[in-house]
Structure formats: structure tokens, C-alpha cells
Amino acid sequence: MIVTRFAPSPTGLLHLGHAFAAITAHDMAFSNLAAPRPGRFLLRIEDIDASRCREEFVTAIYEDLCWLGLEWDEPVVRQTARGDAYRAALAALDRMGLVYPCFCTRREIADEIARAVEAPHGPDGAIYPGTCRGLTRDERARRMAAGVTHTLRLDSAKASAQAGAMTFRDLKAGVVAVEPTLLGDIVLARKDMPAAYHLAVVVDDAHQGVTLLTRGEDLFAATHVQRLLQALLGLPEPEYAHHRLILDASGKKFSKRDHAVTLRSLRESGVTPSEIRARLGL
Ligand code: GLU
């Protein structure tokens, strides 16, 4: 049985790009007509970053999906209710010796990158240069005791060595060899947030039993590190369908500030769900 999910963050109204992602996930769950059981389409509200999320946008997500005619299987998972699961996963990685505290501010990281002759790069630009990875145990303890704010990062090189060679399968790209250090030493958790994006997604997709992860190709690089986290945590490996992105007239991704293409404004201007599908080529 194919299990897919749509996992929006309630930081604004859904737009055409979200509609494409949601319809794709929904339709792929029911694409195998020969399957003995129909698929499942799940919804997850990625509200882990409370400072950016608003309840009115959660309500709007439900309204927009209903309007599009996309029925999801209950229960809806909300990341704000999943703290214990994230903490358990983080503790497991910590027991493997793969987590370290990072005391750098964003500013310090940017300065360090600017100073470096050859800063390490990922697909989206410079990555964390590993400043705090080599701190001694005493230095870490001293800063913690002094109450210096810190995030927790994954030692990606060490994690990669422990996990060994890995692959993931994308329906379009085929079998892809994982580059575990592609995004560097990612943040796993931060102050007031028991898990950052990658860790939360991996733990939640396993919890929800997702078998086919559909999402935009802008997250292709994220899949490398998420596959690493799955392997380390002994979680099942889903398949992936990274889909094309819906771009605006100037070739850029829609932003949540683009009011003209929110599903709400399209609906209010009389556009129908089938016109939305047609406009998206679905
Ligand atoms: N919550 C993410 C977003 O709205 C999607 C996460 C994912 O599909 O892995 O962009």
C-alpha cells in the first residue's frame, strides 16, 4: 500500500506551489489501481517553529485542502505534539557520539565563512564550517555552565563513517548514492525547539508509516542527510518522488507573500478546483 503525506508549515496561506505538492501526494497515494488496498494520504502540520507558525494558517490549510477535494486520513500529526519522540531520537544519536553543542551565532558563522579561504559548500551555498566540532569536553562544559545559548549539531563525517554506504530511490532519478555530508553538520535541535527540520521530518515520516515521500525537487539535497538520519536511527526507508516546482512568471518559487496566487484568493475570485488542476497540468 502506498502511503504519502503533505507536510506544510503554517507560516502563511497555501499557494499554487502547495496545491501542486498536495495534489501530487494525494494522487500518488491512489495511483496504483492494481494494489490490493487503496493508498493513504496523510497530513502533517509542520509547526515546530512556534515563532513563525500561526493557528489561523492551520485552519486555512484544512479549508484549502477540503476545497481542493483532497481528503486526508486522520489523525493529522502536529509537530508541536511530538517533542518526546524527537528527544528520544536525539538521545539515540547522542549515545552514538554523533551530537555536539554549537555555540556560534549566525553572525559568527557568516564571519567565519567570509574569512575562510576555502569555506565548505553545499548545493545552497556555504555550509557550517565546523567551528565548534573540535571544542574540548572542558570547553563545552564551561560554556554550557555559563549558560551560552547553543544548538545541537550532527557530526556528519563521523555519522557517515558509522552508517557506511547508503542509497535512496527516487522514482525519476532512480537509485541515488547518498552523500551524507552534502549539507554539512546540520542543526538537530535548538533552544526552545526539540528538533530542527531534518530530524523532525525523519522521525515523523517513520511514525506515520510514509512509504512514498513526495515533495519538491528543491528538497533533493535534504534527502541525502535525511536518509543518513534514517539509517542511524534504524528507521524504514521510504521511496521518493521529488517533483518539479511551480514557478511564477519570473521563474522564481512562489512566496507566501504572493497574495495573488494563494488558494484563498483564487477561490474568492471564482476559480474552481478543476481549473487549479488544469493550470498545474495535473
Ligand atoms: N514543511 C516543509 C515545507 O513546507 C516540507 C517538508 C518536507 O516535505 O519534507 O516546505
Side-chain angles (χ1 to χ4, degrees), residues 39-217:
R40 297 181 72 206
F41 167 63
L42 306 175
L43 179 59
R44 179 166 75 239
I45 304 292
E46 300 218 318
D47 55 357
I48 189 101
D49 186 353
S51 66
R52 296 177 56 231
C53 297
R54 295 224 309 259
E55 211 47 41
E56 65 173 281
F57 295 131
V58 178
T59 311
I61 289 170
Y62 297 146
E63 272 170 22
D64 289 341
L65 293 182
C66 286
W67 175 68
L68 285 172
L70 306 179
E71 260 177 62
W72 60 88
D73 263 28
E74 294 288 346
V76 173
V77 164
R78 294 198 52 163
Q79 291 191 322
T80 34
R82 303 264 307 136
D84 288 348
Y86 305 144
R87 276 183 283 272
L90 192 60
L93 295 172
D94 192 34
R95 281 195 298 275
M96 293 177 225
L98 303 177
V99 182
Y100 67 88
C102 168
F103 303 92
C104 300
T105 60
R106 279 178 211 272
R107 185 58 198 264
E108 284 164 348
I109 295 173
D111 288 351
E112 171 96 22
I113 289 169
R115 264 197 313 272
V117 184
E118 246 180 74
H121 272 64
D124 302 323
I127 55 176
Y128 177 64
T131 322
C132 289
R133 193 191 308 123
L135 292 180
T136 62
R137 191 188 287 254
D138 283 356
E139 182 57 22
R140 284 178 186 163
R142 192 189 64 73
R143 295 196 198 184
M144 300 262 225
V148 183
T149 306
H150 65 277
T151 61
L152 295 172
R153 287 187 183 268
L154 178 73
D155 185 332
S156 57
K158 201 167 163 191
S160 161
Q162 279 196 28
M166 290 161 289
T167 56
F168 63 85
R169 206 172 93 82
D170 176 80
L171 296 193
K172 237 191 295 170
V175 175
V176 178
V178 171
E179 291 176 58
T181 56
L182 192 61
L183 298 183
D185 289 359
I186 52 154
V187 172
L188 293 169
R190 29 179 121 245
K191 187 170 161 265
D192 306 329
M193 235 209 271
Y197 164 67
H198 297 292
L199 183 63
V201 162
V202 160
V203 170
D204 288 341
D205 283 328
H207 170 71
Q208 291 188 281
V210 174
T211 64
L212 178 63
L213 228 142
T214 66
R215 60 182 176 194
E217 58 197 12

